[in-house]
Amino acid sequence: MTSHTPLAKFIHWTFTLLYAYGIFKQVDELEELEDVSLLNFEIFFAIVFLVIVLLRYFYMKDVKTLLGAHDQMREGHLFIAKVTHRLVYFSLIMLPTTGLLIAGMLAADIPGMQAAIALHEFSAFLSYVLIAVHVFASFYSKLKGEGIWNAMTPFWKEKEKKAVSYT
């Protein structure tokens, strides 16, 4: 059975923790960013987040989608998986980018903040929806026993399918 590299798995799961941290520590009100130390931390966090997303994208972009599948996947299924993964990356790149845009506009007192905030909130919402779709599809694939789950997750492994013998 094929599987992702240990580095790919490490990046996937540590990034998952970084994303969760970002959700739970998010700024609730724009006025909170008047605290310069918080603003600097948010800028640093956004840059680190963006760099990790881009590194992950460039590391994974040539890896076969649905790696680990026991059987040949239908083209429609593969297309949906590829589009979903690309949209996840898009939303995860837009999140820190729009956050940095907000920080820059705030620091330079540039008008149009509401548009930047709306883009940031849309990016967050899109990431929530797409990650939920990704997680649902992962569990569905696991329940079907397709083998994809084992290629990326270090826990709750699927049982290996045994070859059918007709003797």
Side-chain angles (χ1 to χ4, degrees), residues 27 29-36 38-39 42 102-103 106:
V27 173
E29 299 295 328
L30 193 59
E31 291 76 31
E32 293 177 48
L33 295 177
E34 292 173 5
D35 176 357
V36 176
L38 178 62
L39 178 62
E42 290 295 320
I102 291 168
L106 188 65

Side-chain angles (χ1 to χ4, degrees), residues 4 6 13 16-18 36 40 57 59 61 64-65 74 79 94 102 109-110 116 119 122 125-126 153 160 162:
H4 288 284
W13 292 104
T16 300
L17 295 174
L18 183 66
V36 176
N40 287 336
Y57 172 76
Y59 181 76
K61 73 180 180 69
K64 179 181 167 194
T65 303
R74 291 182 298 217
F79 175 78
M94 288 302 296
I102 291 168
D109 198 26
I110 298 173
L119 276 173
F122 174 75
F125 173 77
L126 184 62
T153 54
E160 295 290 327
K162 298 187 193 260

Side-chain angles (χ1 to χ4, degrees), residues 86-157:
R86 287 188 179 122
L87 287 172
V88 167
Y89 280 114
F90 172 76
S91 69
L92 295 178
I93 289 169
M94 288 302 296
L95 261 173
T97 302
T98 56
L100 290 169
L101 177 64
I102 291 168
M105 292 176 82
L106 188 65
D109 198 26
I110 298 173
M113 182 68 72
Q114 292 301 42
I117 291 170
L119 276 173
H120 189 68
E121 289 174 348
F122 174 75
S123 300
F125 173 77
L126 184 62
S127 75
Y128 300 153
V129 170
L130 292 168
I131 289 171
V133 167
H134 177 72
V135 169
F136 175 79
S138 298
F139 280 117
Y140 181 70
S141 174
K142 182 186 179 356
L143 291 173
K144 285 179 65 179
E146 295 175 324
I148 299 165
W149 179 274
N150 289 353
M152 187 52 94
T153 54
F155 51 86
W156 196 26
K157 294 291 192 178

Side-chain angles (χ1 to χ4, degrees), residues 24-82:
F24 291 113
K25 65 121 218 92
Q26 67 187 321
V27 173
D28 293 320
E29 299 295 328
L30 193 59
E31 291 76 31
E32 293 177 48
L33 295 177
E34 292 173 5
D35 176 357
V36 176
S37 63
L38 178 62
L39 178 62
N40 287 336
F41 176 79
E42 290 295 320
I43 290 169
F44 175 76
F45 183 82
I47 291 169
V48 168
F49 189 94
L50 183 59
V51 166
I52 291 172
V53 171
L54 290 171
L55 288 172
R56 180 176 176 199
Y57 172 76
F58 287 110
Y59 181 76
M60 297 295 292
K61 73 180 180 69
D62 294 325
V63 174
K64 179 181 167 194
T65 303
L66 305 178
L67 184 70
H70 298 303
D71 302 316
Q72 182 71 26
M73 301 306 278
R74 291 182 298 217
E75 284 189 38
H77 188 164
L78 189 59
F79 175 78
I80 291 168
K82 284 182 179 184

